[in-house]
Amino acid sequence: MNNRQLFLSHLAQTTDFPLLIEIEKAEGIYMYGPEGRKYMDLISGIGVSNVGHRHPKVIQAIQGQLDKYLHLMVYGEYVQSPQVKLAKALTDTLPAHMDNVYLVNSGSEAVEGALKLAKRYTNRREIISCVNAYHGSSHGSLSVGGNEIFKRAYRPLLPGITNIEYGNLDHLDQINEGTAAVIMETIQGEAGIRVAEKEYFQALRKRCNETGTLLILDEIQAGFGRTGRFWAFEHFDIVPDILVCAKGMGGGMPIGAFIANKELMGAFKNNPLLGHITTFGGHPVSSAASLATIDVILEGDLIGQVESKANLFKKLLVHPKIKSIRNKGLMMAVEFESFEVLKPIIDRAIEKGIITDWFLFCDDAMRIAPPLVITHAEIEIACQIILQSIEG
């Protein structure tokens, strides 16, 4: 059997209509099929390849670590250079009091750890999240998701979860002294790139302070330069109590983290000890790749280029069928009339070598979130092909 047949026969499927694009190689913003067919990746593997595919510095870091050691021991027991250097590099991007990093394997696992930490530290049980939020698909992360379509087949989920509307000031009074944490995407991703006002975030932070509620900000998609700041919360002059990250963190390797201050994170050490455990969290190869990714983002001024690149997309993507473009940096949603209008456009774009997608909870908008290394010339090519795909 060929690879396509093996994929359909033996790899667990998540839909009846996978893309079935076979990739043999990827580099920069491009992926290549078996016959050398070239695809421009405008979604970064869903927010992962912020520095592009197989960035040379990331590959060098991976190869260097392969010659030293792989997994040694469950997380948190041995002093491993890639882990501690990465933790220091992460905290250097944050306010001084956010000085403690728990490394895990993925965004969902980071959310799980953050929720546990909030409950343990506050000794409260109620969690508030947002309508149309997406925080992952494990039981705990699914519980704080905000779309019933994805949840109803798996109930009962965690009790004590309340959904509020993202950006709605009137809903903040639902945060009270019984709330352990509010978990929120700084920029709502799967809802189709929704960005709340600065006033809202200021009021959210104030209400959490008043009620002793921890604020968990999920930057699994929005972090690592994606929005034009290293962290998206920097746009709003607030600081979370717990920060969750993954996706663009590893340069293509699996890794995630939740970050807080040392006192808060210390809640995991006692009653019970080993309050959160991971075997592979902070894998040395993934940690080395993540450290190199941070260096590439900061040293290459990729963040400083985000706004001009986003503006070029918005300038060029003008068409009667495009209703609006929502964005925060290179986290973009191009809105059409309906899914029925959008889906053939996406299919034609793929046929022409441009990979894009829609959103889980917003199927009338095209996702654009290219690697930050995309050039202005490549953006012009991508937009030209998208416009051709709209025309048919």
Side-chain angles (χ1 to χ4, degrees):
M1 290 195 292
N2 61 30
N3 284 343
R4 181 190 177 103
Q5 292 167 324
L6 290 169
F7 176 96
L8 292 170
S9 297
H10 299 296
L11 201 65
Q13 304 292 297
T14 57
T15 73
D16 289 322
F17 42 88
L19 287 172
L20 286 174
I21 300 170
E22 186 172 352
I23 301 298
E24 285 197 343
K25 183 181 178 181
E27 191 140 11
I29 69 164
Y30 296 102
M31 302 181 294
Y32 301 88
E35 279 78 45
R37 186 169 183 190
K38 186 177 179 180
Y39 299 92
M40 185 186 294
D41 184 2
L42 279 195
I43 54 176
S44 303
I46 312 296
V48 170
S49 305
N50 283 18
V51 298
H53 296 279
R54 298 182 66 252
H55 191 284
K57 290 187 177 179
V58 174
I59 296 301
Q60 183 181 16
I62 290 170
Q63 290 172 338
Q65 185 57 40
L66 290 176
D67 288 336
K68 296 174 182 175
Y69 54 84
L70 304 181
H71 175 78
L72 299 178
M73 178 60 165
V74 297
Y75 177 82
E77 297 296 333
Y78 293 171
V79 179
Q80 300 181 49
S81 176
Q83 290 182 350
V84 296
K85 287 181 178 178
L86 174 58
K88 177 62 165 62
L90 286 167
T91 59
D92 282 349
T93 68
L94 291 161
H97 69 280
M98 295 197 73
D99 58 0
N100 232 236
V101 179
Y102 197 118
L103 295 170
V104 291
N105 303 285
S106 68
S108 287
E109 189 184 338
V111 168
E112 297 285 346
L115 294 175
K116 285 177 64 179
L117 182 60
K119 287 184 172 182
R120 177 68 187 86
Y121 184 80
T122 63
N123 200 31
R124 302 175 184 180
R125 297 294 174 261
E126 297 175 11
I127 304 286
I128 288 177
S129 62
C130 290
V131 175
N132 282 340
Y134 183 77
H135 297 289
S137 62
S138 55
H139 261 77
S141 58
L142 183 62
S143 298
V144 293
N147 189 289
E148 187 59 27
I149 291 172
F150 282 83
K151 297 165 72 168
R152 60 191 176 205
Y154 302 102
R155 291 192 179 278
L157 296 168
L158 286 180
I161 309 296
T162 300
N163 287 151
I164 62 174
E165 289 182 9
Y166 173 85
N168 189 330
L169 285 164
D170 293 337
H171 284 198
L172 296 182
D173 61 5
Q174 295 186 51
I175 304 168
N176 57 51
E177 284 74 12
T179 310
V182 175
I183 181 167
M184 185 177 294
E185 296 163 276
T186 314
I187 311 297
Q188 278 202 314
E190 297 310 313
I193 315 303
R194 311 291 174 172
V195 186
E197 299 293 333
K198 182 176 179 178
E199 173 192 14
Y200 175 78
F201 281 105
Q202 298 280 317
L204 170 66
R205 179 68 273 182
K206 182 173 183 287
R207 182 63 179 166
C208 287
N209 290 345
E210 290 169 349
T211 58
T213 300
L214 297 180
L215 177 57
I216 304 170
L217 288 183
D218 175 341
E219 300 217 358
I220 292 169
Q221 286 197 52
F224 291 84
R226 172 62 53 192
T227 68
R229 300 284 183 90
F230 197 92
W231 303 109
F233 70 77
E234 297 176 56
H235 293 285
F236 306 106
D237 294 333
I238 62 163
V239 180
D241 298 295
I242 305 174
L243 178 65
V244 176
C245 56
K247 284 189 180 290
M249 176 180 180
M253 292 292 287
I255 192 167
F258 56 103
I259 307 169
N261 66 54
K262 192 176 181 72
E263 180 207 354
L264 204 166
M265 201 73 82
F268 278 150
K269 295 194 294 186
N270 299 292
N271 299 316
L273 54 76
L274 300 174
H276 193 66
I277 303 171
T278 172
T279 296
F280 292 113
H283 190 282
V285 178
S286 292
S287 293
S290 181
L291 183 60
T293 297
I294 294 172
D295 288 342
V296 170
I297 291 171
L298 295 179
E299 293 175 7
D301 190 34
L302 293 182
I303 295 173
Q305 301 170 31
V306 164
E307 201 61 32
S308 69
K309 292 175 180 179
N311 287 339
L312 184 57
F313 270 110
K314 291 193 287 185
K315 176 184 175 182
L316 296 176
L317 287 178
V318 177
H319 190 279
K321 289 186 179 180
I322 295 176
K323 296 178 64 179
S324 69
I325 297 178
R326 297 184 297 272
N327 81 296
K328 198 67 174 176
L330 285 171
M331 193 174 180
M332 313 183 78
V334 182
E335 184 182 5
F336 291 83
E337 185 67 35
S338 66
F339 178 74
E340 288 70 28
V341 172
L342 173 61
K343 180 61 165 61
I345 295 169
I346 289 173
D347 292 342
R348 288 193 290 267
I350 292 173
E351 282 298 312
K352 297 175 188 293
I354 296 289
I355 303 291
T356 182
D357 199 3
W358 64 91
F359 299 89
L360 283 178
F361 312 141
C362 182
D363 65 6
D364 63 357
M366 176 186 288
R367 184 195 306 265
I368 294 181
L372 307 185
V373 296
I374 193 170
T375 67
H376 288 77
E378 288 164 338
I379 291 171
E380 291 179 3
I381 294 169
C383 290
Q384 182 181 16
I385 294 174
I386 291 171
L387 292 172
Q388 291 171 0
S389 301
I390 294 172
E391 288 295 333

